[in-house]
């Protein structure tokens, strides 16, 4: 869009006039050169890592290269919901029509961004007989295009966001904002993003980056551009780089950078007499110059970056000591305004306050005649810095270059005292695992290995039916409430394992036997199913290579089990042949005759009605969701195995309930329960460990 003379007063009030003049004398971007330098960018320090040390783009460079004001209010607010967050604001497109006098067609709009082509066609030429209000509308459109295409361009490069409506609504107040700090924040964020190898496009004010490279690195600047003008980036007006293949040129520039020496970087290029002759006096105002040396936040709406000039003191005339650890703001790297509009001065209030107190964070250090890195820094940098990117075969091994003598003659140096905020690392993955801020936040977080250890301590629960895929797994009850047994005995129920071994029961039949459940400690006799501290019976399970037999489980009477547990030789003989012989003898002494014949492939149906009221009081080993006592007829008991025939034995004796007038048991849920409560099957991913 052509710069009309009638726009100049509004651009001067906004502090954007020098940028608009630079827009008419722009130069093309050398993509190979810029790519080679962006490879050197390190997001953790916000600096370029060079063979001789660190360097970066500062607010001083933005002021000299683009002529933008660096002191002022932060550029922030909301993105689209102006009627909610701004006093006197309007809905987005209503305000757009009021300020610009026209609404773009839907085909020219993508969410809250308008195509640049529509702006150029609609506001390309201001009519000669336009009144003052029409000129203001065209000036607003020109400023929006200038900001959206030169300073804050995104990777699309052809759309203008409507976030600028609150700014162009008050043209007289545009000059109170720090456009330089916002532009630098956006450039830093774009370079941090492209440091990710999956990001292939680079956005932002790249002309600022290329002009900074030309001024700081004499070996990379084109020849024949010796005319100085303001702003300094206009020196390269008309530059047209080579159109040869990009890949080999990137490798060439990478090798040149790897061979750079300390003297081939200009630490203070703006102190030359040629620059002072064209310098605009506004740049030398004390409030702007002091801010160049401020360690503070750089803000552009949701984008927060850190102005870490403490790592590049030679660019301001100081010496370069070994630096302190860089501020970790990885968490802020994820904030880009997506996921819903907000009023960012409140959402990121802490970092906006740092900018408000920017004058208090100005570094004070000694200025020397020969700025540069110290000998101690070069020793440290040779050990810890990422100095070279080219292959060793191309590099010629410049690592043997000695430390220059003048580095040890610059005198002592130290990092200036400064107050820095706390690190804000990116912990989103850890917080998602912990369920912070979600509906699972009330659940206790358990690492997968802890959950696996718990299951391992509980042991393999193999009391259930055998399915086609293997033994059905039960859930080990590890709670403190030991007087409840979850699930039916021997029918897929749950319980902690007491012991495991091999049985010689029934004529040397090989198999496995497992203890089930933890009792309540009450002795109800040999005929009961509920005494002993570790359970009252063992259930025989055939081995994998043996046929499965129908019949009753191998039950250990409570009295014999207590005697066995009290044996002094239990610990020493556990798992020994003597131990197995004693177990076999105990079980053979109390086992009932097993029914002969091979069982069928399915279990015989129980001759009971699960909806029928229980004929006897429920025992303590049952709870809501377990098997009701009505499932035990006069001839049924738990069966171990895939398919066991229906047996008719006496139901287990239950302890008498204590009469308590204050504790009334409601039997309605037991009567109306139509089916057994199901437990979700465990998946193979380990997600059940976090429930």
């Amino acid at each position: 869009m052509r710069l009309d003379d009638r726009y100049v007063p509004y651009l001067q009030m906004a502090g954007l006039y020098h940028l608009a003049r630079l827009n008419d004398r722009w130069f093309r971007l050398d993509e190979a050169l810029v790519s080679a330098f962006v490879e050197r960018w390190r997001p953790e320090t916000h600096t370029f890592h060079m063979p001789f040390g660190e360097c970066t783009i500062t607010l001083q460079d933005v002021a000299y290269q683009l002529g933008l004001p660096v002191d002022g209010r932060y550029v922030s607010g909301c993105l689209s919901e102006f009627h909610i967050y701004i006093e006197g604001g309007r809905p987005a497109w209503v305000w757009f029509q009021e300020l610009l006098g026209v609404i773009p067609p839907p085909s020219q709009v993508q969410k809250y961004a308008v195509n640049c082509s529509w702006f150029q066609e609609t506001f390309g030429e201001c009519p000669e007989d336009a009144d003052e209000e029409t000129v203001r509308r065209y000036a607003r459109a020109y400023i929006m295009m200038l900001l959206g295409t030169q300073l804050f361009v995104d990777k699309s490069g052809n759309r203008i966001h409507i976030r600028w409506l609150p700014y162009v609504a008050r043209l007289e107040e545009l000059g109170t904002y720090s456009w330089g700090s916002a532009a630098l924040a956006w450039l830093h964020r774009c370079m941090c993003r492209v440091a990710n190898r999956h990001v292939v496009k680079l956005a932002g004010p790249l002309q600022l980056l290329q002009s900074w490279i030309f001024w700081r690195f004499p070996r990379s600047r084109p020849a024949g551009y010796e005319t100085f003008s303001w702003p300094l980036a206009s020196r390269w007006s008309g530059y047209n780089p080579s159109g040869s293949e990009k890949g080999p040129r990137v490798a060439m520039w990478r090798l040149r950078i790897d061979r750079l020496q300390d003297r081939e970087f200009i630490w203070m290029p703006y102190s030359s007499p040629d620059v002072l002759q064209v310098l605009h006096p506004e740049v030398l105002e004390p409030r702007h110059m002091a801010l160049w040396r401020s360690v503070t936040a750089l803000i552009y709406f949701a984008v927060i970056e850190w102005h870490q000039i403490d790592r590049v003191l030679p660019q301001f005339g100081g010496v370069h000591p070994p630096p302190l650890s860089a501020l970790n703001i990885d968490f802020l790297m994820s904030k880009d305004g997506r996921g819903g509009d907000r009023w960012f001065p409140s959402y990121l209030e802490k970092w906006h306050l740092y900018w408000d107190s920017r004058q208090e964070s100005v570094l004070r250090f000694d200025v020397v005649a020969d700025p540069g890195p110290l000998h101690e820094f070069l020793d440290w940098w040779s050990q810890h810095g990422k100095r070279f990117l080219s292959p060793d075969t191309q590099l010629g091994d410049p690592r043997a270059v000695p430390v220059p003598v003048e580095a040890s003659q610059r005198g002592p140096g130290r990092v200036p005292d400064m107050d820095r905020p706390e690190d804000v690392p990116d912990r989103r993955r850890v917080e998602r695992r912990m369920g912070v801020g979600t509906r699972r936040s009330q659940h206790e977080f358990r690492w997968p290995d802890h959950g696996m250890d718990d299951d391992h301590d509980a042991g393999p629960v193999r009391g259930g039916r055998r399915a086609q895929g293997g033994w059905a797994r039960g859930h080990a009850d590890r709670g403190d409430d030991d007087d409840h047994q979850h699930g039916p005995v021997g029918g897929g129920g749950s319980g902690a394992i007491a012991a495991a071994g091999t049985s010689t029961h029934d004529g040397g039949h090989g198999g496995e036997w497992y203890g089930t459940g933890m009792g309540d400690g009450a002795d109800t006799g040999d005929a009961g199913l509920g005494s002993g501290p570790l359970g009252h019976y063992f259930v025989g399970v055939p081995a994998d290579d043996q046929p499965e037999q129908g019949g009753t489980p191998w039950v250990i009477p409570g009295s014999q089990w207590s005697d066995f547990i009290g044996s002094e030789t239990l610990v020493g003989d556990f798992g020994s042949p003597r131990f197995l012989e004693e177990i076999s003898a105990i079980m053979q002494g109390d086992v009932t005759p097993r029914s002969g014949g091979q069982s069928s492939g399915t279990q015989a149906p129980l001759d009971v009605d699960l909806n029928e009221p229980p004929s006897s009081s429920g025992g303590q080993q049952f709870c809501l969701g377990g098997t009701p006592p009505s499932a035990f007829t006069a001839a049924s008991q738990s069966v171990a195995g895939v398919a066991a025939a229906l047996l008719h034995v006496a139901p287990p004796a239950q302890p008498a309930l204590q009469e308590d007038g204050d504790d009334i048991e409601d039997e309605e849920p037991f009567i109306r329960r139509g089916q057994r409560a199901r437990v979700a099957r465990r998946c193979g991913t380990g997600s059940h460990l976090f429930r």
Side-chain angles (χ1 to χ4, degrees):
M1 296 175 64
R2 187 179 65 87
L3 176 60
D4 196 296
D5 294 337
R6 289 171 288 183
Y7 306 159
V8 172
Y10 301 104
L11 293 171
Q12 290 177 339
M13 285 189 301
L16 301 173
Y17 176 61
H18 301 301
L19 180 66
R21 291 177 56 248
L22 186 62
N23 187 42
D24 290 343
R25 295 180 291 172
W26 213 240
F27 50 89
R28 293 193 61 183
L29 192 68
D30 190 342
E31 296 183 6
L33 174 65
V34 171
S35 299
F37 272 87
V38 171
E39 288 179 345
R40 301 281 178 166
W41 181 259
R42 293 295 177 266
E44 62 273 13
T45 60
H46 287 74
T47 58
F48 296 98
H49 284 203
M50 296 295 173
F52 53 83
E54 295 178 280
C55 56
T56 191
I57 306 176
T58 66
L59 291 175
Q60 181 190 34
D61 297 303
V62 179
Y64 276 93
Q65 298 294 336
L66 302 182
L68 294 175
V70 296
D71 189 33
R73 294 188 291 175
Y74 46 71
V75 180
S76 185
C78 61
L79 300 178
S80 59
E81 298 179 354
F82 312 122
H83 60 290
I84 297 178
Y85 298 108
I86 299 178
E87 183 179 357
R90 307 282 193 278
W93 297 111
V94 175
W95 212 1
F96 190 97
Q97 186 173 15
E98 290 182 2
L99 295 176
L100 299 180
V102 64
I103 286 289
S107 60
Q108 299 292 330
V109 178
Q110 297 186 23
K111 293 186 178 179
Y112 291 100
V114 184
N115 292 342
C116 293
S117 58
W118 180 85
F119 270 93
Q120 293 171 345
E121 295 171 359
T122 308
F123 302 99
E125 293 288 341
C126 183
E128 295 293 338
D129 56 347
D131 56 7
E132 184 63 25
E133 183 60 30
T134 302
V135 173
R136 290 174 65 92
R137 291 177 179 176
Y138 276 76
R140 292 189 183 107
Y142 184 89
I143 292 175
M144 292 180 66
M145 280 284 292
L146 187 65
L147 295 175
T149 59
Q150 299 303 327
L151 288 186
F152 308 105
V153 61
D154 57 10
K155 288 189 290 186
S156 68
N158 58 1
R159 291 191 293 268
I160 307 299
H161 201 277
I162 65 172
R163 70 182 67 185
W164 304 114
L165 291 179
Y167 291 88
V168 298
R170 305 174 178 89
L171 292 174
E172 293 76 10
E173 299 181 7
L174 281 177
T176 62
Y177 294 96
S178 175
W179 299 110
S181 64
L184 184 59
W186 181 235
L187 178 60
H188 282 188
R189 175 58 57 87
C190 292
M191 291 193 293
C192 290
R193 284 179 178 174
V194 84
N196 185 341
R197 62 179 180 178
H198 301 292
V199 179
V200 296
K201 288 186 177 181
L202 178 62
L206 300 183
Q207 285 80 6
L208 167 63
L209 173 60
Q210 181 166 289
S211 181
W212 177 84
I213 295 172
F214 288 162
W215 276 92
R216 297 278 185 176
F217 297 87
R219 291 185 57 184
S220 62
R221 68 178 56 162
Y225 295 88
E226 302 299 334
T227 302
F228 293 79
S229 59
W230 184 259
L232 297 184
S234 61
R235 175 181 177 181
W236 321 110
S237 176
Y239 170 68
N240 190 12
S242 173
S244 59
E245 189 177 355
K246 180 181 176 181
R249 296 184 67 245
V250 172
M252 178 197 68
W253 283 115
R254 184 185 300 129
L255 182 59
R256 287 188 180 181
I257 296 173
D258 284 335
R259 292 175 175 174
L260 284 175
Q261 300 299 321
D262 181 17
R263 290 301 180 182
E264 295 176 322
F265 177 79
I266 303 178
W267 291 105
M268 301 183 67
Y270 310 128
S271 59
S272 65
D274 295 332
V275 174
L276 297 177
Q277 290 178 2
V278 300
L279 186 64
H280 196 277
E282 184 182 0
V283 176
L284 299 179
E285 291 185 10
R287 62 187 184 98
H288 293 297
M289 295 181 62
L291 198 56
W292 298 344
R293 303 188 303 274
S294 178
V295 180
T296 184
L298 303 174
I299 302 172
Y300 168 62
F301 289 93
V303 174
I304 306 294
E305 297 293 331
W306 197 248
H307 194 228
Q308 296 192 141
I309 64 109
D310 55 296
R311 304 183 72 92
V312 291
L313 295 181
Q315 294 185 207
F316 299 93
V319 294
H320 204 331
L324 302 176
S325 59
L327 178 65
N328 187 336
I329 56 172
D330 290 347
F331 176 74
L332 297 177
M333 295 292 181
S334 62
K335 305 300 180 183
D336 56 1
R338 301 177 185 177
D341 197 8
R342 298 178 177 89
W343 184 251
F344 296 110
S346 298
Y347 181 64
L348 301 171
E349 181 180 6
K350 169 185 175 181
W351 304 97
H352 286 71
L353 292 177
Y354 278 116
W355 176 258
D356 290 337
S357 59
R358 57 193 177 277
Q359 299 294 343
E360 302 175 4
S361 57
V362 176
L363 298 186
R364 292 171 175 81
F365 50 88
D366 295 332
V367 178
V368 297
D370 183 22
L374 289 176
H375 186 281
E376 292 81 0
F377 171 82
L378 294 178
D379 289 339
W380 174 84
W381 188 247
S382 63
Q383 300 177 14
H384 304 283
K386 184 69 174 177
R387 303 169 61 196
F388 309 104
L389 298 182
S390 299
D392 293 341
T393 56
Q394 300 180 5
L395 213 52
D397 196 12
R399 298 164 178 80
V401 177
V403 175
V405 179
E406 58 269 15
S408 59
Q409 299 176 352
R410 292 188 173 113
R414 65 179 183 87
V415 177
D417 298 332
M418 56 182 175
D419 296 331
R420 51 175 285 171
E422 298 179 356
D423 294 340
V424 282
D426 191 355
R427 297 177 50 85
R428 290 177 295 169
R429 291 185 179 180
V430 177
E431 291 176 353
R432 281 197 297 267
R433 294 283 298 275
M434 298 178 63
V436 174
T438 67
R439 288 177 293 178
R440 294 189 178 186
S441 58
Q442 67 273 19
H443 291 188
E444 180 184 0
F445 172 75
R446 301 169 64 202
W447 287 103
D449 51 351
H450 296 168
M452 294 172 64
D453 292 342
D454 293 346
D455 284 355
H456 182 274
D457 296 340
V461 182
R462 290 191 172 184
R465 296 191 309 156
R466 186 174 185 177
Q468 295 181 358
W471 293 101
R473 279 198 282 178
H475 295 273
D477 185 6
R478 297 180 54 82
D480 294 335
D481 190 5
D482 295 336
D483 58 346
H484 287 162
Q485 297 292 334
H486 298 277
V489 177
S494 61
I497 299 304
T502 303
S503 173
T504 58
H505 172 70
D506 198 9
H509 169 74
E512 296 173 304
W513 46 266
Y514 296 83
T516 60
M518 284 190 177
D520 57 356
D523 189 1
T524 57
D526 294 349
L529 286 176
S531 68
L534 296 177
H536 310 72
Y537 55 89
F538 287 98
V539 177
V541 180
D544 294 337
D545 58 345
Q546 297 293 338
E548 298 169 358
Q549 303 290 336
T552 62
W554 302 333
V555 180
I556 299 178
S559 58
Q560 298 186 25
W561 174 254
S562 302
D563 297 340
F564 174 74
I565 291 297
S567 175
E568 298 178 356
T569 61
L570 174 62
V571 177
D573 296 340
F574 184 80
S576 64
R578 177 183 175 185
F579 175 83
L580 300 179
E581 292 176 1
E582 291 181 357
I583 289 296
S584 301
I586 292 174
M587 292 190 298
Q588 291 177 5
D590 193 68
V591 67
T592 58
R594 298 166 59 92
S595 60
Q598 191 72 15
S599 61
S600 61
T602 59
Q603 179 177 345
L606 297 177
D607 190 16
V608 296
D609 184 4
L610 297 180
N611 294 323
E612 180 182 352
S615 57
S616 61
S617 301
Q620 295 183 4
Q621 69 269 25
F622 296 107
C623 64
L624 184 60
T627 302
S630 61
F632 292 92
T633 62
S636 67
Q637 194 179 14
S638 299
V639 180
V642 175
L646 182 63
L647 301 179
H648 298 278
V649 296
Q654 306 295 340
L657 296 177
Q658 298 180 359
E659 297 294 337
D660 191 353
D662 297 334
D663 187 10
I664 301 176
E665 181 74 11
D666 187 6
E667 297 183 355
E668 188 69 12
F670 292 94
I671 298 175
R672 295 189 177 184
R673 182 173 59 84
Q675 61 182 0
R676 187 173 303 169
R678 293 182 178 272
V679 179
R681 180 176 298 178
R682 297 183 180 182
C683 65
T685 61
S687 60
H688 61 282
L689 300 175
F690 300 96
R691 296 176 179 172

